[in-house]
Amino acid sequence: MYEGGEYILQIGIKRAIIHVLDKESSEPMLNEFELDIDGDIRYFLEKHISKSLSDDESRKAVFKSGRNIIKEVCQRVFSDNDYFIEGSKEIARQLFKAMKTNSSISSTDLVICIYEDENEENVAILKMDYTVSFIHEVELVDNKFKISIRKQDISLPGVNQRIQKCAFIRATQEAGDYDLIILDNQISKKNQEEPIAQFFLETFLGADLVLDSKTCTRIFKKETENWIRNKAKEGETSLEIVREFVNDAIRNEDEIDLDSFSSKVFSNKVELRDEYVNTMKEKGLTSDKFEVDKEWVERKLSKIRLKTESDIEVVIDYEQYNDREKFEIVKNPDGTRNIIIKNIISLMEK
């Protein structure tokens, strides 16, 4: 389902509980009672879970071989209806222990839910890092209202904010090529090899990421764009043609061979080709060949978004972008370009 231009999964919350993990304490503060799932709390949790599962950075993963406490706890939660509270406390203890391994990891509230997605039960583990918010405060001074603004340092992320770390464990893990889905924004950043970037995936969950077709397609598109922008800063403006090759390939090809693609794009520019291929591999595209995720392409690339150095933005449907009767980018002899919108019947201001 699309909501405000954003793709949102439909899920249903069944049970939920919250624990407090304060790094300054020697033990986590563990809840003995489940949350009351009223309308507002239900909306809050379902929106966060849906947004996180639909996030471009979410990744499939598998548990490492050997004994895994998180996996064992979740499997018992699925099979033993009375174990949910105790199981959630064990998960909280494991995350608190992992947090203690690095002083840079922030305190948090931990929300654990059981939810249904397409009639299958899953466990959601949501690390709700604190955000700063402001509220009004009312006092009565000499029979007069004094209204002030007060800072809140331990607010939970709002429904329009992004959770930085969460995991979703499936009940039927043997039925597919992955056990869980992870969203961890530190993994996708440049410091991904640092311990703080790996503590959630490695130390806490004990899992390995899966390089599936969605991830390969996303890396191919995203990191090519980043590479083009970096080269443009170095004066290599002619490389923008690579963007068109990428868009054409992911829309029209079922499988992409990175070496064949780069040879076609860069022709006899061997050094540039090798630099591009090495950059893609450094960014995580380690498969020489990958299947294009057509669903991701259709969902993410139905429109082309262009932005100039002077902050002029153009958003256009992909089909119209390629229709020379409606739209064209023309290069000038001095290296600049003109964007031409053609055959307009009416023009409105929005």
Side-chain angles (χ1 to χ4, degrees):
M1 184 183 86
Y2 284 89
E3 182 177 307
E6 180 181 26
Y7 182 72
I8 300 294
L9 293 171
Q10 293 297 292
I11 60 100
I13 296 290
K14 297 180 67 177
R15 305 174 74 174
I17 192 168
I18 185 169
H19 304 291
V20 177
L21 280 55
D22 184 353
K23 282 286 298 289
E24 302 305 315
S25 300
S26 58
E27 296 290 336
M29 185 183 298
L30 302 177
N31 201 348
E32 297 290 347
F33 302 91
E34 294 185 35
L35 292 172
D36 293 326
I37 310 297
D38 59 19
D40 289 336
I41 301 302
R42 180 179 300 279
Y43 175 76
F44 174 77
L45 295 176
E46 289 181 353
K47 187 71 178 290
H48 270 306
I49 292 172
S50 296
K51 283 169 64 70
S52 297
L53 285 168
S54 303
D55 195 295
D56 245 14
E57 301 292 342
S58 65
R59 296 281 303 273
K60 292 179 180 178
V62 292
F63 287 116
K64 295 178 185 292
S65 59
R67 188 178 179 217
N68 186 296
I69 294 176
I70 302 301
K71 178 180 179 180
E72 291 175 2
V73 168
C74 289
Q75 289 304 303
R76 185 172 172 186
V77 164
F78 292 128
S79 62
D80 184 350
N81 191 57
D82 297 327
Y83 183 65
F84 175 67
I85 292 178
E86 190 56 44
S88 74
K89 290 194 286 186
E90 184 57 39
I91 292 172
R93 292 188 191 100
Q94 293 301 315
L95 180 56
F96 189 74
K97 187 187 301 183
M99 289 167 57
K100 284 289 190 177
T101 63
N102 193 301
S103 59
S104 299
I105 299 170
S106 60
S107 297
T108 188
D109 283 1
L110 177 66
V111 175
I112 298 172
C113 310
I114 297 178
Y115 71 95
E116 278 190 340
D117 177 10
E118 297 181 351
N119 297 318
E120 181 181 68
E121 282 196 346
N122 304 267
V123 169
I125 301 174
L126 312 176
K127 185 176 184 289
M128 309 288 275
D129 292 336
Y130 302 134
T131 63
V132 175
S133 65
F134 294 86
I135 61 171
H136 74 260
E137 189 172 58
V138 180
E139 300 176 77
L140 195 61
V141 179
D142 297 330
N143 291 322
K144 298 177 181 178
F145 287 120
K146 178 184 178 182
I147 305 174
S148 54
I149 296 175
R150 181 163 61 87
K151 181 181 177 183
Q152 291 267 67
D153 290 316
I154 56 171
S155 297
L156 297 182
V159 292
N160 294 319
Q161 294 176 299
R162 196 182 192 191
I163 297 178
Q164 297 300 307
K165 295 180 186 292
C166 48
F168 307 94
I169 294 88
R170 308 167 72 201
T172 54
Q173 295 174 4
E174 293 78 12
D177 58 349
Y178 68 101
D179 302 327
L180 67 161
I181 293 175
I182 297 173
L183 176 61
D184 187 344
N185 288 290
Q186 283 181 313
I187 290 178
S188 62
K189 295 179 181 178
K190 293 181 180 179
N191 62 349
Q192 60 182 344
E193 299 302 323
E194 295 181 10
I196 190 172
Q198 290 292 332
F199 96 91
F200 192 75
L201 173 68
E202 295 278 349
T203 311
F204 170 55
L205 292 168
D208 291 318
L209 297 176
V210 172
L211 192 63
D212 62 350
S213 59
K214 172 200 163 187
T215 301
C216 288
T217 307
R218 181 182 59 80
I219 291 174
F220 181 58
K221 171 63 178 172
K222 176 184 176 182
E223 297 304 336
T224 298
E225 181 64 30
N226 289 336
W227 185 78
I228 292 169
R229 293 180 185 180
N230 289 332
K231 299 304 287 185
K233 292 177 183 177
E234 300 172 11
E236 292 275 5
T237 56
S238 62
L239 290 180
E240 291 190 356
I241 190 67
V242 180
R243 182 185 294 120
E244 296 181 18
F245 274 98
V246 168
N247 288 338
D248 182 69
I250 61 179
R251 286 183 176 279
N252 299 313
E253 302 294 335
D254 293 326
E255 183 182 76
I256 291 176
D257 182 312
L258 189 59
D259 287 329
S260 297
F261 172 83
S262 57
S263 295
K264 175 183 177 182
V265 172
F266 298 102
S267 187
N268 59 349
K269 299 177 181 178
V270 179
E271 291 185 7
L272 207 56
R273 181 196 66 198
D274 291 345
E275 179 188 341
Y276 171 76
V277 171
N278 290 334
T279 299
M280 292 300 103
K281 291 183 177 180
E282 288 172 2
K283 296 299 182 180
L285 190 57
T286 53
S287 296
D288 294 330
K289 296 181 181 179
F290 64 91
E291 182 180 336
V292 176
D293 188 329
K294 295 297 185 180
E295 182 180 344
W296 182 89
V297 172
E298 185 62 31
R299 180 158 54 91
K300 301 299 293 187
L301 302 180
S302 60
K303 294 183 181 296
I304 299 291
R305 290 170 170 82
L306 304 174
K307 186 175 182 179
T308 71
E309 76 282 354
S310 55
D311 284 338
I312 297 174
E313 293 190 45
V314 177
V315 181
I316 184 171
D317 289 339
Y318 181 79
E319 299 300 328
Q320 294 181 345
Y321 175 82
N322 288 294
D323 187 346
R324 292 296 169 259
E325 294 298 316
K326 296 181 179 180
F327 182 86
E328 189 173 5
I329 299 176
V330 179
K331 291 185 178 180
N332 298 321
D334 62 0
T336 62
R337 279 153 293 174
N338 295 329
I339 294 177
I340 305 174
I341 302 174
K342 306 176 182 179
N343 300 317
I344 299 171
I345 297 175
S346 63
L347 189 64
M348 296 174 289
E349 183 175 338
K350 296 183 70 175

